[in-house]
Amino acid sequence: MEGSDGTLPLYPGTWARERPDHPAQILASTGATLTYRELDERSNRHARLFRELGLSRGGHVALFMENHPRYLELVWAALRSGLYYTPINCLLTADEAAYVVKDSDAQAIVSSTRMARVAAALRDRVPGAVICLMVRSPGSDADPPPSWTPLEAAAEALPGSALPDESEGTSLWYSSGTTGRPKGVLRPLPEGVMGRGDPVAIAFSRHWGFGRGTVHLSLGPLYHAAPVGYATNVQRFGGTVVLTERFDAEETLRAIERYRVTFAHFVPTMFTRLLKLPEATRRRYDLSSLEKVVHGAAPCPGEVKRRSSKRGIIHIVDDDGRELPPGDDGTIYFEDPDVRNVYYKDPEETAALQNVHGWRTLGDVGHVDGDGYLYLTDRWTFKIVSGGVNVFPREAEDVLVLHPAVLDAAVIGVPHEEMGEEVKGVVQLVEGQTG
């Protein structure tokens, strides 16, 4: 059962054999538990259903649902049957979701009864050959629309054992669409035996110390890369994912205490909302189990950074393509001949990622310090151009959210007749504040 590097295959099938009754997932709001035996069997049934419906290795399934208790089962079904999976933002309209389904060439969509109204409209906007499956949402009494097949009924009679041709799948993520339509980021399917995973994700997971004792509080929507990525990698290493349905500041503290959470991933807005809680509320909860907290882009493990430095040289470049000295912000480019990700069906956008030197960018803005460490400060697509001057909103937002009356803030560019754009701040006040 061990891999060539002497480690166990890292996926739920291993832990279903090693520790079948250990919690793979706990729903934070109710305490409902999914064991590794259950995760293994259910993801296998879903994988077999996908195969029976004609999805073979390299095929594609889209997930259009809230943070549903079945979400990670379905991701694992794709990951262990050699499929691409695409999470679709559950807040999109039917037209917006249909664009992603059609552009990605998804052969099947899985949605939920909580999404039934939008899903019914979505069915009319995608090709008739797309298979539409639906799971029942907790607390929802809605029935699947007539054009959607109940997934549980279709999968329950299938064996809970692994596919004979089990192999690793991966994600086909879509960008947020800040510069036009969302774009799919196509990655090559992993090769080799099941349980090897993505080498970079595995390296990060080892850096964070993921293991059997990890209890990860998953706070963000699973249609985003980081929340579903951290959750599946915690489960690769045999830990427990505490899944939230939405973020609530005090409920987060309560969940950390109740489930003895050891690891959590936040975004800065969550920190802001935690700090806006009354001090007496914050002190009410025992957070002593919490060992590690990550926010935003995770720091790079030392070994990964050392390896990358040999082939992933960083360049900070200004608007005219000139390299900038340490400390100066500019567009971040990398030299890495081994990068194989492309924008799906969009060679022009893929080409736009490169400059005349063949260096590649993801659109991030930042700088390096005197020791060569990289700092991310903003995104190029968020830039506001006012009177010919580039303005990045992050710094202004950082100032606004520190005001005691402000719960959250966003800084945007709005049209201006003389300056082209002007800077506008939008704030959400703390409850009880009137401005």
Side-chain angles (χ1 to χ4, degrees), residues 75-109:
V75 172
W76 275 113
L79 289 177
R80 63 193 308 175
S81 54
L83 301 181
Y84 284 99
Y85 74 93
T86 291
I88 301 177
N89 187 332
C90 64
L91 302 178
L92 295 184
T93 66
D95 285 331
E96 293 166 334
Y99 168 79
V100 176
V101 172
K102 290 186 286 189
D103 187 75
S104 65
D105 298 320
Q107 299 158 273
I109 318 168

Tab-separated table of all heavy atoms in Angstrom, residues 75-109:
chain	number	residue	atom	x	y	z
A	75	VAL	N	-16.529	16.082	-4.447
A	75	VAL	CA	-15.173	16.435	-4.879
A	75	VAL	C	-14.296	15.192	-4.892
A	75	VAL	O	-13.560	14.924	-5.853
A	75	VAL	CB	-14.573	17.521	-3.976
A	75	VAL	CG1	-13.095	17.742	-4.293
A	75	VAL	CG2	-15.333	18.832	-4.138
A	76	TRP	N	-14.394	14.388	-3.822
A	76	TRP	CA	-13.586	13.169	-3.766
A	76	TRP	C	-14.005	12.165	-4.833
A	76	TRP	O	-13.164	11.422	-5.361
A	76	TRP	CB	-13.644	12.539	-2.378
A	76	TRP	CG	-12.647	13.145	-1.449
A	76	TRP	CD1	-12.884	13.908	-0.347
A	76	TRP	CD2	-11.224	13.063	-1.577
A	76	TRP	NE1	-11.707	14.314	0.226
A	76	TRP	CE2	-10.674	13.804	-0.506
A	76	TRP	CE3	-10.365	12.443	-2.472
A	76	TRP	CZ2	-9.300	13.937	-0.320
A	76	TRP	CZ3	-8.988	12.561	-2.303
A	76	TRP	CH2	-8.471	13.299	-1.233
A	77	ALA	N	-15.273	12.125	-5.186
A	77	ALA	CA	-15.719	11.248	-6.270
A	77	ALA	C	-15.008	11.602	-7.573
A	77	ALA	O	-14.587	10.723	-8.333
A	77	ALA	CB	-17.229	11.338	-6.444
A	78	ALA	N	-14.866	12.904	-7.826
A	78	ALA	CA	-14.142	13.339	-9.017
A	78	ALA	C	-12.649	13.060	-8.885
A	78	ALA	O	-12.004	12.574	-9.829
A	78	ALA	CB	-14.383	14.828	-9.260
A	79	LEU	N	-12.087	13.344	-7.701
A	79	LEU	CA	-10.653	13.182	-7.504
A	79	LEU	C	-10.205	11.729	-7.587
A	79	LEU	O	-9.033	11.456	-7.861
A	79	LEU	CB	-10.234	13.770	-6.154
A	79	LEU	CG	-10.261	15.292	-6.031
A	79	LEU	CD1	-9.904	15.728	-4.624
A	79	LEU	CD2	-9.315	15.933	-7.045
A	80	ARG	N	-11.110	10.773	-7.319
A	80	ARG	CA	-10.704	9.369	-7.355
A	80	ARG	C	-11.219	8.648	-8.595
A	80	ARG	O	-11.123	7.413	-8.668
A	80	ARG	CB	-11.121	8.663	-6.078
A	80	ARG	CG	-12.594	8.595	-5.823
A	80	ARG	CD	-12.880	8.158	-4.384
A	80	ARG	NE	-12.186	6.954	-4.019
A	80	ARG	CZ	-12.186	6.409	-2.797
A	80	ARG	NH1	-12.849	7.018	-1.821
A	80	ARG	NH2	-11.540	5.300	-2.542
A	81	SER	N	-11.754	9.392	-9.557
A	81	SER	CA	-12.175	8.770	-10.811
A	81	SER	C	-11.561	9.463	-12.020
A	81	SER	O	-12.025	9.288	-13.146
A	81	SER	CB	-13.706	8.770	-10.921
A	81	SER	OG	-14.242	10.058	-10.766
A	82	GLY	N	-10.516	10.267	-11.789
A	82	GLY	CA	-9.786	10.872	-12.889
A	82	GLY	C	-10.528	11.978	-13.602
A	82	GLY	O	-10.250	12.267	-14.762
A	83	LEU	N	-11.462	12.639	-12.895
A	83	LEU	CA	-12.268	13.693	-13.517
A	83	LEU	C	-11.750	15.079	-13.147
A	83	LEU	O	-11.100	15.269	-12.112
A	83	LEU	CB	-13.721	13.583	-13.061
A	83	LEU	CG	-14.459	12.284	-13.361
A	83	LEU	CD1	-15.889	12.378	-12.845
A	83	LEU	CD2	-14.438	11.969	-14.848
A	84	TYR	N	-12.086	16.051	-13.976
A	84	TYR	CA	-11.975	17.458	-13.603
A	84	TYR	C	-13.268	17.854	-12.889
A	84	TYR	O	-14.353	17.433	-13.289
A	84	TYR	CB	-11.815	18.343	-14.842
A	84	TYR	CG	-10.445	18.300	-15.463
A	84	TYR	CD1	-10.186	17.504	-16.578
A	84	TYR	CD2	-9.400	19.068	-14.946
A	84	TYR	CE1	-8.925	17.472	-17.163
A	84	TYR	CE2	-8.141	19.043	-15.524
A	84	TYR	CZ	-7.905	18.240	-16.625
A	84	TYR	OH	-6.664	18.215	-17.193
A	85	TYR	N	-13.145	18.656	-11.827
A	85	TYR	CA	-14.338	19.213	-11.203
A	85	TYR	C	-14.227	20.733	-11.184
A	85	TYR	O	-13.152	21.289	-10.993
A	85	TYR	CB	-14.540	18.661	-9.782
A	85	TYR	CG	-13.600	19.219	-8.743
A	85	TYR	CD1	-13.957	20.329	-7.973
A	85	TYR	CD2	-12.352	18.635	-8.508
A	85	TYR	CE1	-13.102	20.846	-7.015
A	85	TYR	CE2	-11.487	19.142	-7.556
A	85	TYR	CZ	-11.864	20.241	-6.814
A	85	TYR	OH	-11.003	20.759	-5.869
A	86	THR	N	-15.355	21.384	-11.406
A	86	THR	CA	-15.414	22.846	-11.391
A	86	THR	C	-16.458	23.308	-10.394
A	86	THR	O	-17.654	23.105	-10.606
A	86	THR	CB	-15.763	23.409	-12.778
A	86	THR	OG1	-14.679	23.185	-13.676
A	86	THR	CG2	-16.023	24.908	-12.715
A	87	PRO	N	-16.057	23.914	-9.264
A	87	PRO	CA	-17.032	24.532	-8.364
A	87	PRO	C	-17.541	25.834	-8.976
A	87	PRO	O	-16.754	26.643	-9.462
A	87	PRO	CB	-16.231	24.799	-7.087
A	87	PRO	CG	-14.966	24.009	-7.226
A	87	PRO	CD	-14.710	23.946	-8.701
A	88	ILE	N	-18.859	26.016	-8.963
A	88	ILE	CA	-19.467	27.234	-9.484
A	88	ILE	C	-20.048	28.024	-8.318
A	88	ILE	O	-20.739	27.459	-7.459
A	88	ILE	CB	-20.574	26.911	-10.509
A	88	ILE	CG1	-19.997	26.106	-11.689
A	88	ILE	CG2	-21.220	28.189	-11.028
A	88	ILE	CD1	-21.045	25.685	-12.698
A	89	ASN	N	-19.769	29.299	-8.278
A	89	ASN	CA	-20.271	30.187	-7.234
A	89	ASN	C	-21.787	30.041	-7.115
A	89	ASN	O	-22.524	30.285	-8.078
A	89	ASN	CB	-19.894	31.627	-7.589
A	89	ASN	CG	-20.223	32.627	-6.504
A	89	ASN	OD1	-21.144	32.427	-5.711
A	89	ASN	ND2	-19.502	33.717	-6.478
A	90	CYS	N	-22.272	29.668	-5.931
A	90	CYS	CA	-23.703	29.419	-5.751
A	90	CYS	C	-24.521	30.708	-5.726
A	90	CYS	O	-25.758	30.653	-5.669
A	90	CYS	CB	-23.951	28.614	-4.484
A	90	CYS	SG	-23.486	29.441	-2.946
A	91	LEU	N	-23.858	31.866	-5.788
A	91	LEU	CA	-24.572	33.146	-5.840
A	91	LEU	C	-24.791	33.637	-7.266
A	91	LEU	O	-25.423	34.675	-7.467
A	91	LEU	CB	-23.799	34.204	-5.046
A	91	LEU	CG	-23.548	33.888	-3.563
A	91	LEU	CD1	-22.745	34.998	-2.912
A	91	LEU	CD2	-24.849	33.660	-2.817
A	92	LEU	N	-24.295	32.903	-8.252
A	92	LEU	CA	-24.453	33.330	-9.635
A	92	LEU	C	-25.894	33.164	-10.107
A	92	LEU	O	-26.646	32.341	-9.592
A	92	LEU	CB	-23.531	32.520	-10.548
A	92	LEU	CG	-22.023	32.683	-10.366
A	92	LEU	CD1	-21.284	31.869	-11.426
A	92	LEU	CD2	-21.602	34.144	-10.427
A	93	THR	N	-26.245	33.948	-11.104
A	93	THR	CA	-27.535	33.774	-11.754
A	93	THR	C	-27.472	32.553	-12.666
A	93	THR	O	-26.390	32.013	-12.949
A	93	THR	CB	-27.895	35.005	-12.593
A	93	THR	OG1	-26.949	35.109	-13.677
A	93	THR	CG2	-27.861	36.277	-11.762
A	94	ALA	N	-28.633	32.135	-13.155
A	94	ALA	CA	-28.674	30.996	-14.067
A	94	ALA	C	-27.855	31.266	-15.324
A	94	ALA	O	-27.149	30.381	-15.824
A	94	ALA	CB	-30.125	30.661	-14.426
A	95	ASP	N	-27.940	32.481	-15.862
A	95	ASP	CA	-27.173	32.824	-17.060
A	95	ASP	C	-25.673	32.762	-16.791
A	95	ASP	O	-24.900	32.242	-17.613
A	95	ASP	CB	-27.540	34.226	-17.557
A	95	ASP	CG	-28.898	34.261	-18.243
A	95	ASP	OD1	-29.293	33.228	-18.817
A	95	ASP	OD2	-29.549	35.323	-18.211
A	96	GLU	N	-25.242	33.302	-15.654
A	96	GLU	CA	-23.819	33.301	-15.320
A	96	GLU	C	-23.295	31.884	-15.106
A	96	GLU	O	-22.211	31.534	-15.569
A	96	GLU	CB	-23.577	34.157	-14.079
A	96	GLU	CG	-23.835	35.649	-14.303
A	96	GLU	CD	-23.910	36.431	-13.011
A	96	GLU	OE1	-24.247	35.849	-11.953
A	96	GLU	OE2	-23.640	37.653	-13.040
A	97	ALA	N	-24.073	31.074	-14.390
A	97	ALA	CA	-23.663	29.686	-14.159
A	97	ALA	C	-23.633	28.889	-15.458
A	97	ALA	O	-22.743	28.061	-15.683
A	97	ALA	CB	-24.600	29.023	-13.157
A	98	ALA	N	-24.607	29.137	-16.331
A	98	ALA	CA	-24.667	28.428	-17.610
A	98	ALA	C	-23.434	28.721	-18.455
A	98	ALA	O	-22.936	27.829	-19.159
A	98	ALA	CB	-25.935	28.815	-18.366
A	99	TYR	N	-22.926	29.958	-18.388
A	99	TYR	CA	-21.720	30.276	-19.142
A	99	TYR	C	-20.563	29.364	-18.714
A	99	TYR	O	-19.835	28.820	-19.552
A	99	TYR	CB	-21.315	31.739	-18.950
A	99	TYR	CG	-19.928	32.016	-19.469
A	99	TYR	CD1	-19.717	32.190	-20.835
A	99	TYR	CD2	-18.829	32.037	-18.615
A	99	TYR	CE1	-18.431	32.395	-21.329
A	99	TYR	CE2	-17.545	32.230	-19.096
A	99	TYR	CZ	-17.353	32.405	-20.451
A	99	TYR	OH	-16.083	32.586	-20.934
A	100	VAL	N	-20.372	29.192	-17.399
A	100	VAL	CA	-19.276	28.362	-16.902
A	100	VAL	C	-19.488	26.904	-17.319
A	100	VAL	O	-18.547	26.223	-17.747
A	100	VAL	CB	-19.141	28.486	-15.372
A	100	VAL	CG1	-18.057	27.542	-14.846
A	100	VAL	CG2	-18.825	29.921	-14.977
A	101	VAL	N	-20.720	26.400	-17.197
A	101	VAL	CA	-21.007	25.016	-17.577
A	101	VAL	C	-20.677	24.783	-19.044
A	101	VAL	O	-20.001	23.810	-19.410
A	101	VAL	CB	-22.485	24.666	-17.302
A	101	VAL	CG1	-22.837	23.293	-17.873
A	101	VAL	CG2	-22.772	24.692	-15.801
A	102	LYS	N	-21.116	25.681	-19.900
A	102	LYS	CA	-20.899	25.508	-21.337
A	102	LYS	C	-19.434	25.717	-21.713
A	102	LYS	O	-18.878	24.953	-22.508
A	102	LYS	CB	-21.809	26.460	-22.120
A	102	LYS	CG	-23.283	26.071	-22.055
A	102	LYS	CD	-24.153	26.944	-22.942
A	102	LYS	CE	-24.353	28.325	-22.371
A	102	LYS	NZ	-25.367	29.105	-23.133
A	103	ASP	N	-18.803	26.734	-21.146
A	103	ASP	CA	-17.417	27.025	-21.507
A	103	ASP	C	-16.480	25.905	-21.062
A	103	ASP	O	-15.491	25.620	-21.739
A	103	ASP	CB	-16.972	28.347	-20.877
A	103	ASP	CG	-15.601	28.776	-21.356
A	103	ASP	OD1	-15.501	29.232	-22.502
A	103	ASP	OD2	-14.629	28.642	-20.586
A	104	SER	N	-16.789	25.266	-19.939
A	104	SER	CA	-15.927	24.205	-19.402
A	104	SER	C	-16.188	22.849	-20.037
A	104	SER	O	-15.482	21.885	-19.745
A	104	SER	CB	-16.126	24.092	-17.886
A	104	SER	OG	-17.451	23.669	-17.595
A	105	ASP	N	-17.225	22.761	-20.881
A	105	ASP	CA	-17.613	21.486	-21.495
A	105	ASP	C	-17.989	20.441	-20.447
A	105	ASP	O	-17.730	19.243	-20.612
A	105	ASP	CB	-16.495	20.940	-22.401
A	105	ASP	CG	-16.181	21.858	-23.566
A	105	ASP	OD1	-17.133	22.411	-24.147
A	105	ASP	OD2	-14.989	22.028	-23.890
A	106	ALA	N	-18.602	20.892	-19.348
A	106	ALA	CA	-19.034	19.959	-18.305
A	106	ALA	C	-20.047	18.972	-18.869
A	106	ALA	O	-20.976	19.350	-19.578
A	106	ALA	CB	-19.634	20.721	-17.128
A	107	GLN	N	-19.859	17.694	-18.539
A	107	GLN	CA	-20.786	16.652	-18.965
A	107	GLN	C	-21.906	16.441	-17.960
A	107	GLN	O	-22.940	15.868	-18.291
A	107	GLN	CB	-20.025	15.345	-19.173
A	107	GLN	CG	-18.953	15.418	-20.247
A	107	GLN	CD	-17.914	14.332	-20.060
A	107	GLN	OE1	-16.945	14.494	-19.335
A	107	GLN	NE2	-18.138	13.201	-20.707
A	108	ALA	N	-21.673	16.871	-16.711
A	108	ALA	CA	-22.673	16.704	-15.659
A	108	ALA	C	-22.589	17.870	-14.693
A	108	ALA	O	-21.527	18.486	-14.518
A	108	ALA	CB	-22.458	15.384	-14.911
A	109	ILE	N	-23.734	18.195	-14.085
A	109	ILE	CA	-23.811	19.214	-13.039
A	109	ILE	C	-24.458	18.563	-11.827
A	109	ILE	O	-25.436	17.811	-11.960
A	109	ILE	CB	-24.700	20.409	-13.418
A	109	ILE	CG1	-24.478	20.856	-14.863
A	109	ILE	CG2	-24.490	21.575	-12.465
A	109	ILE	CD1	-25.547	21.826	-15.349
